[in-house]
Amino acid sequence: MVWRVVEHDERRWNVSLAAERRANSPNWNLVFAFRPTEQGQRSIWATYPLSSSSKAALFAQAEKIPDDAIAALLAAQLQ
């Protein structure tokens, strides 16, 4: 399910959310999945510097992240 759509270098990317909790950690970390709208392009997963002990609280905080910050995270992964 697409959560948002962002643009970078004139390409559109579908963005999905995930929460990841590593072993021996009480906190969930926010992860974005970037999938290009064009067929045949690779997907990119990137961890966002946001964590919480509650998955619901983490997703609520994610709603407040501006599209520009998400696009900047994508741009950093593409370099």
Side-chain angles (χ1 to χ4, degrees):
M1 178 170 70
V2 175
W3 175 65
R4 289 193 198 175
V5 176
V6 297
E7 290 193 26
H8 175 68
D9 282 343
E10 300 180 14
R11 291 177 59 195
R12 294 172 59 96
W13 295 79
N14 294 327
V15 183
S16 299
L17 287 176
E20 171 184 81
R21 187 168 65 186
R22 295 193 171 100
N24 299 322
S25 174
N27 289 331
W28 291 94
N29 298 305
L30 184 62
V31 180
F32 289 116
F34 297 97
R35 293 182 175 84
T37 57
E38 303 152 4
Q39 293 290 337
Q41 301 294 318
R42 68 181 177 100
S43 297
I44 297 171
W45 289 80
T47 302
Y48 192 80
L50 187 63
S51 64
S52 175
S53 60
S54 164
K55 194 187 305 187
L58 183 68
F59 290 145
Q61 291 173 10
E63 290 292 333
K64 298 175 185 175
I65 300 171
D67 288 348
D68 292 344
I70 296 169
L73 177 65
L74 172 61
Q77 297 298 312
L78 292 171
Q79 293 181 353

